[in-house]
Amino acid sequence: MKRGDTVWLAVARLGPLGLAPRMPGTVGSAAAAAAAPWLFLPLPLWARLGVLAGVFVMGALAAGRAERVLGQKDPGQVNIDELAGQWATFLPLAHAGPGALLLGFVLFRFFDIWKPWPVRQSEHWLPGGWGVMVDDLLAGVYAAACLYLIAAFALP
């Protein structure tokens, strides 16, 4: 490995979370959902958008480096894309109780696994780590729309 690869891999894996022996994407999403009430949701909307943009750019760079180092396209242990997608899910909410957090987690995992149009196709729109990140961001947009509608009409 080249100098710096260890740091980029740690970013791409969200530290040790990407090394989970089973379902590292789900582990990364769960950690992002658990951290959101402290690190993401308290921020004003403009700051949450800035954080998402920063995670997207940093994630794309880290995921691209991880692809080269690991010799795989979209390696399973790269889960910074789950952080971006999960937090995109919570973007329209100013506050989220445990029920909304759990529902947002389930909705994001559903759309991230199912990959409806154009989520699956978006992986090929951009090269390298950018493609890794964009599909999860779009899955998060689908999940955010559903979560917003459910929260507006059904959640207390």
Side-chain angles (χ1 to χ4, degrees), residues 81-82 85 108 112 115 119 132-141:
D81 51 336
E82 268 73 31
F108 172 68
D112 188 32
K115 297 190 185 304
V119 175
V132 171
M133 296 296 291
V134 75
D135 74 309
D136 285 70
L137 195 63
L138 288 177
V141 169

Side-chain angles (χ1 to χ4, degrees), residues 3-14:
R3 186 176 182 173
D5 285 345
T6 304
V7 173
W8 284 110
L9 284 174
V11 170
R13 293 172 174 158
L14 296 178

Side-chain angles (χ1 to χ4, degrees), residues 9-142:
L9 284 174
V11 170
R13 293 172 174 158
L14 296 178
L17 300 178
L19 297 174
R22 297 175 126 185
M23 302 184 299
T26 300
V27 170
S29 293
W38 293 276
L39 300 177
F40 188 69
L41 290 173
L43 302 173
L45 180 60
W46 64 267
R48 282 184 274 153
L49 288 167
V51 166
L52 272 181
V55 168
F56 186 84
V57 170
M58 182 65 70
L61 296 172
R65 185 78 164 259
E67 282 186 329
R68 289 189 297 279
V69 169
L70 300 172
Q72 297 174 351
K73 176 75 176 133
D74 197 0
Q77 55 186 265
V78 169
N79 59 8
I80 193 165
D81 51 336
E82 268 73 31
L83 173 67
Q86 190 65 71
W87 282 5
T89 299
F90 298 132
L91 186 64
L93 303 180
H95 304 285
L101 289 170
L102 180 60
L103 181 58
F105 168 76
V106 169
L107 286 168
F108 172 68
R109 290 308 298 153
F110 172 75
F111 286 112
D112 188 32
I113 292 167
W114 177 34
K115 297 190 185 304
W117 184 90
V119 175
R120 183 171 312 281
Q121 293 77 6
S122 71
E123 296 173 325
H124 307 290
W125 293 349
L126 300 170
W130 302 98
V132 171
M133 296 296 291
V134 75
D135 74 309
D136 285 70
L137 195 63
L138 288 177
V141 169
Y142 273 113

